[in-house]
Amino acid sequence: MRISVQLNDFDIGKELKFFSNGLTNTGAVVSFHGIVRNNNKKSLLHMDIEQYPGMTQKAISEYVTTAIERWSLTDALVIHRHGKLYLGDRIMMVATSARHRSDAFQSAEFLMDYLKSRAPFWKKEVTKNGNNWVKPVLKDEIALARWK
């Protein structure tokens, strides 16, 4: 299990290669990466993502441990950036490995839903028309509720 909360960009190919090397008893690896997009044509200039060192890492670790136990994962990776991010920048990556693909897919979706809705990040959109904090969205809450 590896969790990284970082300012710097990351190389998806290198991260996936490092994650996959040496896996045994694994039949599936699922990965996802998210990028900064322009929501609702608000003329996004950039996004500021804040976090509390230690607290954010600990909270993500608890959810990754839950995923590993629930789906019997052989490994898991979460990378999430903070700081000033621009349109098209990589914001996060999740990778899971399991004996079977359904467990790898479900656990990756669980972690992505958690990161979107519950991970302790505070996101502010900076647009041409001003700044606003990103608020919870009902569809994200519904997606997260399916894992209870």
Side-chain angles (χ1 to χ4, degrees):
M1 170 173 86
R2 183 167 71 93
I3 294 115
S4 179
V5 179
Q6 61 191 55
L7 280 169
N8 297 330
D9 195 8
F10 54 92
D11 182 308
I12 297 160
K14 286 181 183 177
E15 293 294 346
L16 197 53
K17 183 177 179 180
F18 181 76
F19 177 76
S20 299
N21 281 345
L23 290 175
T24 58
N25 293 326
T26 297
V29 172
V30 168
S31 67
F32 171 86
H33 76 277
I35 59 174
V36 177
R37 70 175 183 269
N38 198 4
N39 280 337
N40 303 320
K41 301 178 184 174
K42 292 181 183 177
S43 303
L44 184 74
L45 299 175
H46 67 271
M47 181 175 276
D48 291 326
I49 301 176
E50 298 179 12
Q51 57 96 27
Y52 288 116
M55 178 183 134
T56 303
Q57 182 99 7
K58 182 177 185 245
I60 294 171
S61 294
E62 290 170 2
Y63 273 84
V64 172
T65 298
T66 298
I68 288 170
E69 291 170 0
R70 183 171 177 178
W71 285 280
S72 300
L73 300 180
T74 54
D75 205 358
L77 164 71
V78 172
I79 300 170
H80 202 296
R81 294 179 63 198
H82 62 95
K84 186 180 286 192
L85 299 173
Y86 294 91
L87 288 172
D89 283 352
R90 283 178 282 276
I91 190 170
M92 56 80 69
M93 178 179 181
V94 168
T96 58
S97 62
R99 290 183 54 82
H100 303 284
R101 65 185 159 97
S102 63
D103 291 332
F105 274 109
Q106 288 179 41
S107 60
E109 281 191 282
F110 166 80
L111 289 170
M112 291 179 294
D113 287 342
Y114 162 72
L115 289 168
K116 181 77 173 172
S117 300
R118 290 291 182 276
F121 291 101
W122 294 268
K123 300 172 185 176
K124 181 171 53 175
E125 293 177 329
V126 178
T127 70
K128 293 177 182 176
N129 300 322
N131 307 333
N132 63 291
W133 291 99
V134 176
K135 296 176 182 160
V137 178
L138 180 60
K139 70 178 184 167
D140 294 334
E141 294 298 317
I142 291 168
L144 186 62
R146 69 185 165 144
W147 303 112
K148 293 184 181 189

